[in-house]
Amino acid sequence: MLMDGFDRGVVPLLGLAMLVLAVVAFGFALLARDDAYRAAEKQSKTFWLVILGITVLVDAFLGMLFLQIAGLVATIVFFVDVRPALKQVSGGGRRSGGSSSDGPYGPYNGGR
């Protein structure tokens, strides 16, 4: 009985969450400039679009858990490694041109 509820409630929600993450990652990969991937020394834009596109298709239509988990790993790698590097190269890092020692309330002065 408990497994039946788990299979009907939790598993579809996890599948939907993986699909949403993959679609968002695909959108970010699509919007980034092609030369930013080269400047960040990451795989090409085409590579990431193919990997994330396959992930979206698998999550939306196939529902094979092994392939979904592999796609989730690729999505996490994109969000954790590739996207921050693309933002840094594209100038999408800090909004206000502060120094690296600036905290959320101004510059850190070491307790002086």
Side-chain angles (χ1 to χ4, degrees):
M1 183 165 150
L2 180 63
M3 288 303 290
D4 188 44
F6 186 78
D7 287 340
R8 288 188 194 193
V10 176
V11 172
L13 286 177
L14 289 174
L16 181 64
M18 287 190 288
L19 175 63
V20 168
L21 279 174
V23 168
V24 170
F26 184 81
F28 283 137
L30 188 63
L31 293 176
R33 294 183 1 216
D34 193 28
D35 60 340
Y37 288 88
R38 287 188 302 256
E41 297 180 352
K42 300 298 177 188
Q43 292 288 336
S44 69
K45 180 176 184 173
T46 306
F47 173 84
W48 282 107
L49 288 176
V50 168
I51 294 296
L52 295 171
I54 290 172
T55 300
V56 168
L57 291 175
V58 166
D59 288 346
F61 299 113
L62 291 181
M64 297 175 64
L65 186 60
F66 176 76
L67 294 177
Q68 285 178 313
I69 291 173
L72 180 63
V73 169
T75 303
I76 291 171
V77 167
F78 181 82
F79 274 123
V80 172
D81 184 41
V82 178
R83 185 164 182 258
L86 294 176
K87 282 178 67 174
Q88 185 177 20
V89 167
S90 299
R94 294 186 156 269
R95 285 181 224 138
S96 63
S99 76
S100 63
S101 65
D102 282 356
Y105 306 110
Y108 177 73
N109 61 9
R112 292 180 252 160

